[in-house]
Amino acid sequence: MEIHQIPALADLVRTGQPQPAWAQLMTEKRRKTLIVCIPRHDTIHAPIPTTKSTQ
């Protein structure tokens, strides 16, 4: 298990961008700390994919 922690709930707000599921959970529960499995923690810290046009 891993602990994912953020300094402030306000850090989760990204105007104009959808929140990932883990950020929605933290916001709904008003928690700055989540205990997650290692693969999920790796996913949280993975770069956010960007959509690129192939044309």
Side-chain angles (χ1 to χ4, degrees), residues 33-50:
T33 303
L34 282 179
I35 298 174
V36 294
C37 64
I38 293 170
R40 178 64 56 201
H41 195 249
D42 292 344
T43 301
I44 290 172
H45 286 286
I48 299 171
T50 58

Side-chain angles (χ1 to χ4, degrees), residues 6-24:
I6 58 170
L9 288 172
D11 294 342
L12 296 176
V13 178
R14 294 181 184 156
T15 306
Q17 296 179 358
Q19 276 189 323
W22 62 267
Q24 289 176 6

